Amino acid sequence: VQLQASGGGLVQAGGSLRLSCAASGSIFSISAMAWYRQAPGKQREWVARLLSGDMPNYADSVKGRFTISGDSAKNTVYLQMNSLKPEDTGVYYCNVLARKYSYSGARNYWGQGTLVTVSS
């Protein structure tokens, strides 16, 4: 399973960006899709999660500003980021919990990351 993230860039505080992450390869099913981020000098942190058949969950720091959504037909997850703040700066990684085959167990897969820079 390969994940290709895109949509990062430089934006001023208060602006918006939309990240996309498309999963490809041998995929039997995807049970969860999520976004994480890593700010310079900090550990990677969870941002938002979308479980199959469940409501999305958000970290408190982004609640009300970010929206995660998915397109199961395209095996793609999105992250709409509004009202961006300088502290949202970091590399954003997509993550999926997927099964490659009907007989295989689920495992986590990570994208390569896309850089988001929010200027003040």
Side-chain angles (χ1 to χ4, degrees):
V1 177
Q2 295 81 42
L3 300 179
Q4 182 67 46
S6 61
L10 174 64
V11 64
Q12 288 189 331
S16 299
L17 282 174
R18 188 190 194 212
L19 307 182
S20 299
C21 178
S24 61
S26 179
I27 301 172
F28 174 73
S29 66
I30 295 176
S31 53
M33 308 181 90
W35 288 95
Y36 289 73
R37 68 185 180 188
Q38 187 166 17
K42 295 188 176 181
Q43 289 189 331
R44 189 175 300 187
E45 64 175 359
W46 167 71
V47 174
R49 179 186 301 116
L50 185 62
L51 296 174
S52 179
D54 203 351
M55 297 294 289
N57 298 108
Y58 300 94
D60 288 343
S61 59
V62 307
K63 201 171 293 183
R65 299 187 298 120
F66 290 11
T67 301
I68 187 171
S69 61
D71 185 334
S72 59
K74 297 181 179 179
N75 287 331
T76 299
V77 62
Y78 305 97
L79 186 68
Q80 177 66 44
M81 306 185 294
N82 299 327
S83 302
L84 283 161
K85 305 175 181 180
E87 51 264 43
D88 294 318
T89 294
V91 178
Y92 282 69
Y93 298 91
C94 56
N95 168 273
V96 299
L97 182 64
R99 296 168 64 190
K100 292 187 68 174
Y101 310 103
S102 60
Y103 53 81
S104 61
R107 56 161 291 186
N108 275 302
Y109 296 90
W110 291 91
Q112 85 285 3
T114 183
L115 178 62
V116 172
T117 304
V118 184
S119 63
S120 57

